[in-house]
């Protein structure tokens, strides 16, 4: 018996086990023992995680998939969490301990998964898995690229992001409409944001909401002084700034507000 795919849960089950193996091997397993897989489905990736030197947990929203896992992976049963990842407080289980996140993720909530990871970054040294290719590419892209945006800057402020490989639709059941991409995030150690985090997020989001405009125009809501607005950086567009420049921009805006 297998699980009937449910579209609203973003269910595309991986058929090609060699890809599951490659994803499982993308984690370094260094500096943590807990691994949390989001959306295990019928366990194609879980099976390979269970062979590794780590403590594997899975979080799955679909009760039919949970029943399947309970029946087929007896050793895993105590570490199956039947919850919505986006709503679940991870510290009910992990109590502040570090964990890596992995998965062939539900693509309909990819961005929210990344944002939740960023919020919990102090606890998440590594994150690896599959998204729709466009999202994986965006997260890993550099300034100047067409797909560089909010997700790229905010993720790369805290993590080194690597695009690993592309996966075609025909290795899934049912096949998704788009290509998929596997990526890995490795947290930058000994890094702390030198500016206010809320302001940084707001600057990046506001700038990219009007990505064709110069920062002088898109960042008007920050009530910048004339002298700051004259700074050359404000003549640029958001896709021209790397992460460090966005941090410096935030510092300039903060100092301007204090004057
Ligand atoms: N890893 C499996 C399944 C991938 S499909 C495989 O590769 O075959 C995505 C999975 O995420 C589905 O099993 C779906 O039920 C689950 N899912 C969807 N939304 C979720 C959420 N909010 N929290 C946890 N799991 C979710």
């Amino acid at each position: 018996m297998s699980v009937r795919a449910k579209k609203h849960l973003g269910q595309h089950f991986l058929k090609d086990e060699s890809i599951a193996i490659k994803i499982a091997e993308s984690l370094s397993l260094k500096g943590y023992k807990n691994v949390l897989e989001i959306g295990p489905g019928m366990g194609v990736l879980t099976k390979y995680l269970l062979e590794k030197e780590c403590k594997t947990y899975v979080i799955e929203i679909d009760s039919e998939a949970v029943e399947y896992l309970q029946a087929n992976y007896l050793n895993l049963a105590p570490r199956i969490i039947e919850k919505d990842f986006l709503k679940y407080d991870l510290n009910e289980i992990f109590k502040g301990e570090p964990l890596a996140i992995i998965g062939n993720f539900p693509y309909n909530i990819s961005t929210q998964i990344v944002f939740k990871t960023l919020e919990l970054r102090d606890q998440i040294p590594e994150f690896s898995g599959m998204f729709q290719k466009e999202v994986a590419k965006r997260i890993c892209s550099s300034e100047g690229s067409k797909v560089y945006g909010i997700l790229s800057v905010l993720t790369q402020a805290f993590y080194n992001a690597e695009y690993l490989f592309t996966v075609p639709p025909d290795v899934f059941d049912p096949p998704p409409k788009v290509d998929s991409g596997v990526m890995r995030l490795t947290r930058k150690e000994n890094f702390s944001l030198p500016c206010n985090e809320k302001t940084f997020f707001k600057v990046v989001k506001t700038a990219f909401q009007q990505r064709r405009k110069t920062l002088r125009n898109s960042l008007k809501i920050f009530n910048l002084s004339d002298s700051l607005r004259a700074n050359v950086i404000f003549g640029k567009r958001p896709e021209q700034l790397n992460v460090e420049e966005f941090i410096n921009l935030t510092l300039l805006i903060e100092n301007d507000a204090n004057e």
Side-chain angles (χ1 to χ4, degrees):
M1 216 203 66
S2 62
V3 176
R4 193 175 31 91
K6 300 174 193 70
K7 208 174 168 190
H8 69 287
L9 295 179
Q11 289 183 342
H12 297 282
F13 300 114
L14 193 56
K15 293 185 295 185
D16 183 337
E17 303 230 343
S18 70
I19 293 171
I21 293 172
K22 269 163 90 178
I23 298 175
E25 284 178 351
S26 65
L27 291 176
S28 75
L29 303 179
K30 288 194 185 112
Y32 57 86
K33 66 176 196 308
N34 302 312
V35 172
L36 175 64
E37 184 190 350
I38 302 175
M42 285 180 278
V44 60
L45 170 60
T46 324
K47 182 163 64 186
Y48 295 103
L49 292 173
L50 289 171
E51 291 175 359
K52 304 229 165 257
E53 291 276 314
C54 60
K55 200 167 172 191
T56 300
Y57 292 80
V58 298
I59 184 160
E60 173 57 66
I61 199 170
D62 179 15
S63 55
E64 201 191 341
V66 167
E67 268 177 42
Y68 179 93
L69 293 167
Q70 281 166 340
N72 290 281
Y73 298 89
L74 296 178
N75 294 338
L76 179 71
R79 295 188 307 282
I80 300 175
I81 309 163
E82 186 178 345
K83 296 275 183 207
D84 178 343
F85 170 73
L86 297 178
K87 295 191 184 143
Y88 184 64
D89 174 4
L90 294 185
N91 282 321
E92 279 189 28
I93 294 249
F94 297 105
K95 314 220 180 302
E97 277 183 31
L99 64 135
I101 288 186
I102 194 165
N104 164 21
F105 301 111
Y107 297 171
N108 52 335
I109 56 166
S110 344
T111 309
Q112 288 135 290
I113 291 176
V114 176
F115 275 113
K116 180 158 176 170
T117 301
L118 295 182
E119 260 170 48
L120 294 171
R121 61 184 182 268
D122 289 343
Q123 230 176 319
I124 306 178
E126 240 174 16
F127 177 105
S128 168
M130 188 140 60
F131 286 116
Q132 57 271 52
K133 180 180 171 186
E134 184 216 323
V135 172
K137 283 270 182 193
R138 182 185 297 280
I139 293 170
C140 301
S141 69
S142 304
E143 71 276 13
S145 145
K146 246 192 198 160
V147 294
Y148 183 66
I150 298 171
L151 221 45
S152 339
V153 179
L154 298 182
T155 306
Q156 291 173 39
F158 307 107
Y159 288 91
N160 293 315
E162 296 161 89
Y163 185 86
L164 300 179
F165 58 93
T166 301
V167 180
D170 61 0
V171 300
F172 299 90
D173 181 26
K177 290 204 177 76
V178 291
D179 275 342
S180 301
V182 176
M183 55 149 235
R184 171 171 55 207
L185 306 178
T186 312
R187 192 176 57 199
K188 295 179 181 170
E189 294 307 331
N190 306 316
F191 172 82
S192 69
L193 203 60
C195 56
N196 179 283
E197 181 178 324
K198 272 202 181 136
T199 314
F200 176 64
F201 275 56
K202 195 169 165 193
V203 167
V204 175
K205 286 182 179 172
T206 312
F208 278 107
Q209 268 156 16
Q210 295 176 289
R211 67 181 289 140
R212 292 175 167 281
K213 292 199 175 167
T214 62
L215 299 171
R216 198 169 286 131
N217 286 315
S218 60
L219 298 181
K220 271 187 182 149
I221 59 154
F222 290 92
N223 286 326
L224 309 171
S225 67
D226 288 344
S227 66
L228 187 58
R229 283 162 48 83
N231 188 312
V232 284
I233 197 168
F234 285 92
K236 296 193 175 187
R237 297 202 177 94
E239 72 256 26
Q240 294 176 287
L241 268 56
N242 64 23
V243 170
E244 218 181 305
E245 288 167 316
F246 265 110
I247 292 174
N248 289 336
L249 176 67
T250 307
L251 286 168
L252 287 173
I253 292 176
E254 273 174 10
N255 291 334
D256 192 51
N258 291 333
E259 268 167 21

